[in-house]
């Protein structure tokens, strides 16, 4: 029933030797010289119409100037930034100049033949990095300066009941149980029916221990399929969150039609970037660290990624975080306050833990039936009265 659920069983791995580093670098230099990112063309075997292909071509570019976009934790966005992000998604969803609409069109890339190297191997991280960049460029066609916020689900995992996190209120993702009828994405339709969720029914969110485990490793092969142990495997940890959200998000072919997908993957990408920064501190060049053992042929370094003329190994190029975007630090307690840089995240100074606000526990599935009520701590109410939180 869920043949493509976010879980992978590998059998009969073939150990394959990666080409020499110098040969890879020579190919990359030649490739980037002939096909700069600003001129990439999407190459797909789908039945996409010419308008879709033309639109996708225009999303492959490097921004002008040296100022990087900054991806923030969802709850660290200002109210205006959050509204702008939601508006950009809705404008894509309502733009039918590309069929069925631009949001669904770009979502389809995640499960069509363009995505053969997107899951189950070391290409997972680079493929999704480029996919997020294309989506972000599409958003910016609608609302300039919008960036994808990442969702640090480890904050929610600290709650006694993560299902009550403010993330599942109308302010953010909307309700987490049943058809999505609250929030900015209410009544979204997908090729797999109305957008639905079933948060907390299976699996789990990522924990701080998970991050510590990942950051304890030094090489990409130690955190990637097929060679990583489960506790260090970033793709496997990400799978758990997909299944925890449930319904469309729990399956590869449908997950990208839920806007929560992009914030979840933005978090995974920011974790990978933090891992890469730690590699540099240990004298490892992450731009040259592609595993020798890759499993499926679609993850071989010199095969097509399926996005433009990019190769799989291009996903580890530093150009994305040197020229396009950076990740703001994960939320931390702000000295002298009782919050973590947001009115929606409080600080427990006894444990120095950032915890999201929670919704009231009203009966009869309150999140799905009406606007959620937040339990606002006394200090937040005081700050609101004093005008410190708008």
């Amino acid at each position: 029933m869920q043949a493509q659920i976010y879980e992978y069983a590998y059998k009969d791995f073939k150990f394959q030797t990666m080409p020499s580093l110098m040969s890879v670098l020579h190919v990359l230099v030649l490739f980037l010289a002939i096909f700069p990112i600003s001129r990439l063309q999407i190459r797909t075997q789908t039945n996409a119409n010419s308008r879709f292909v033309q639109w996708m071509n225009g999303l492959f570019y490097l921004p002008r100037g040296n100022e990087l976009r900054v991806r923030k934790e969802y709850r660290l966005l200002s109210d205006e930034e959050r509204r702008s992000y939601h508006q950009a998604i809705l404008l894509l969803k309502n733009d039918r100049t590309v069929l069925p609409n631009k949001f669904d069109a770009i979502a389809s890339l995640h499960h069509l033949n363009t995505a053969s190297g997107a899951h189950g191997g070391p290409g997972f991280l680079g493929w999704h990095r480029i996919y997020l960049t294309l989506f972000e460029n599409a958003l910016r066609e609608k609302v300039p300066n919008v960036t994808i916020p990442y969702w640090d689900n480890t904050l929610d995992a600290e709650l006694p009941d993560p299902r009550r996190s403010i993330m599942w209120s109308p302010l953010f993702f909307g309700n987490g149980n049943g058809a999505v009828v609250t929030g900015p994405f209410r009544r979204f339709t997908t090729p797999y029916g109305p957008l639905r969720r079933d948060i907390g029914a299976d699996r789990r969110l990522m924990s701080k221990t998970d991050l510590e485990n990942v950051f304890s490793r030094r090489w990409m092969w130690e955190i990637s399929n097929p060679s990583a142990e489960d506790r260090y495997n970033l793709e496997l940890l990400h799978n758990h969150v997909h299944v925890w959200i449930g319904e469309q998000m729990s399956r590869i072919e449908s997950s990208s039609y839920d806007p929560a997908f992009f914030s979840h993957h933005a978090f995974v990408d920011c974790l990978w970037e933090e891992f890469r920064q730690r590699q540099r501190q240990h004298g490892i060049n992450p731009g040259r660290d592609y595993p020798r053992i890759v499993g499926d042929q679609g993850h071989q370094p010199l095969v097509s990624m399926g996005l433009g003329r990019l190769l799989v190994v291009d996903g580890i190029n530093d150009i994305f975080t040197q020229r396009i975007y950076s990740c703001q630090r994960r939320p931390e307690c702000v000295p002298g306050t009782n919050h973590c840089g947001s009115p929606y995240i409080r600080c427990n100074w006894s444990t120095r833990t950032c915890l999201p606000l929670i919704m009231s526990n009203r009966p009869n599935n309150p999140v799905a039936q009406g606007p959620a009520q937040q339990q606002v701590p006394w200090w937040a109410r005081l700050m609101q009265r004093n005008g410190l939180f708008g």
Side-chain angles (χ1 to χ4, degrees):
M1 183 176 179
Q2 294 186 352
Q4 287 189 285
I5 199 168
Y6 276 89
E7 184 169 331
Y8 303 95
Y10 287 94
K11 297 179 180 179
D12 302 325
F13 285 127
K14 294 181 179 179
F15 288 75
Q16 304 179 44
T17 303
M18 179 178 171
S20 71
L21 179 60
M22 289 308 298
S23 65
V24 171
L25 292 177
H26 289 160
V27 170
L28 278 178
V29 170
L30 179 63
F31 173 84
L32 291 175
I34 298 175
F35 302 116
I37 288 180
S38 60
R39 296 180 183 176
L40 285 174
Q41 304 288 309
I42 185 169
R43 186 171 57 191
T44 176
Q45 298 175 357
T46 67
N47 294 322
N49 60 43
S50 60
R51 184 170 293 178
F52 171 72
V53 173
Q54 183 180 10
W55 174 58
M56 287 300 304
N57 288 345
L59 299 181
F60 286 92
Y61 66 84
L62 285 174
R64 295 180 179 178
N66 298 320
E67 186 174 353
L68 298 178
R69 309 168 187 176
V70 180
R71 294 181 182 169
K72 304 177 183 179
E73 210 283 333
Y74 216 137
R75 288 154 288 202
L76 295 185
L77 295 177
S78 68
D79 290 341
E80 181 179 357
E81 288 172 330
R82 190 175 69 254
R83 285 192 293 267
S84 294
Y85 176 64
H86 294 162
Q87 181 188 21
I89 292 178
L90 294 176
L91 289 172
L92 281 181
K93 187 74 170 180
N94 293 325
D95 187 340
R96 292 178 174 80
T97 58
V98 170
L99 297 177
N101 61 72
K102 284 188 172 181
F103 180 87
D104 286 7
I106 202 166
S108 71
L109 295 178
H110 184 251
H111 65 92
L112 297 179
N113 63 321
T114 52
S116 61
H119 304 94
F124 161 78
L125 292 166
W127 191 97
H128 284 87
R129 169 163 288 191
I130 294 165
Y131 185 50
L132 289 175
T133 302
L134 295 177
F135 179 67
E136 192 169 76
N137 288 346
L139 293 174
R140 286 181 161 231
E141 290 184 345
K142 299 300 184 183
V143 181
N145 301 321
V146 160
T147 57
I148 302 171
Y150 67 84
W151 170 41
D152 182 352
N153 65 87
T154 66
L155 301 180
D156 307 80
E158 295 287 324
L159 294 171
D161 184 357
R163 296 172 299 177
R164 294 176 61 193
S165 167
I166 198 171
M167 285 304 301
W168 307 104
S169 78
L171 292 173
F172 296 93
F173 288 147
N175 60 278
N177 296 98
V180 178
V181 295
T182 69
F185 316 122
R186 57 187 177 274
R187 298 182 178 85
F188 257 36
T189 59
T190 79
Y192 302 87
L195 179 59
R196 298 179 60 87
R197 300 175 181 139
D198 188 17
I199 60 173
D202 193 10
R203 305 289 185 90
R204 64 178 180 86
L205 298 177
M206 298 169 71
S207 69
K208 292 183 178 179
T209 299
D210 291 330
L211 304 194
E212 292 170 359
N213 286 338
V214 170
F215 294 145
S216 72
R217 303 298 90 188
R218 293 290 173 263
W219 301 94
M220 190 176 177
W221 69 264
E222 295 180 285
I223 64 168
S224 302
N225 276 321
S227 48
E229 296 180 30
D230 286 355
R231 58 178 169 163
Y232 307 126
N233 189 324
L234 192 52
E235 184 175 0
L236 177 61
L237 296 171
H238 129 281
N239 292 349
H240 291 322
V241 180
H242 271 279
V243 179
W244 186 89
I245 296 174
E247 296 289 352
Q248 276 98 338
M249 271 288 280
S250 68
R251 297 181 294 276
I252 290 174
E253 67 271 18
S254 58
S255 59
S256 52
Y257 295 95
D258 186 338
F261 169 96
F262 295 97
S263 289
H264 172 42
H265 272 275
F267 182 54
V268 174
D269 185 74
C270 287
L271 293 179
W272 183 37
E273 186 57 28
E274 185 170 344
F275 177 86
R276 289 162 63 90
Q277 292 171 3
R278 291 168 183 257
Q279 284 186 301
R280 292 185 181 93
Q281 295 171 4
H282 288 86
I284 300 170
N285 183 350
R288 299 182 179 181
D289 177 33
Y290 194 80
R292 294 177 180 271
I293 302 170
V294 300
D296 187 84
Q297 178 65 26
H299 293 273
Q300 287 289 342
L302 299 182
V303 304
S304 172
M305 180 180 286
L307 297 173
R309 295 192 178 99
L310 290 168
L311 306 179
V312 169
V313 74
D314 292 322
I316 67 170
N317 197 300
D318 287 327
I319 197 168
F320 300 99
T321 50
Q322 288 180 348
R323 292 287 308 279
I324 302 177
Y325 71 93
S326 64
C327 296
Q328 189 181 72
R329 289 175 63 91
R330 301 194 304 278
E332 299 175 334
C333 293
V334 177
T337 74
N338 285 306
H339 63 82
C340 295
S342 166
Y344 306 113
I345 311 176
R346 63 184 175 87
C347 174
N348 181 348
W349 277 104
S350 63
T351 58
R352 291 183 175 269
T353 302
C354 291
L355 295 173
L357 295 190
I358 61 175
M359 297 178 291
S360 63
N361 193 19
R362 293 184 294 160
N364 301 322
N365 196 11
V367 180
Q369 293 188 12
Q373 300 295 319
Q374 283 75 49
Q375 291 183 341
V376 182
W378 66 267
W379 52 262
R381 294 196 298 270
L382 178 63
M383 286 182 155
Q384 287 172 342
R385 286 199 297 269
N386 293 335
L388 297 180
F389 288 146

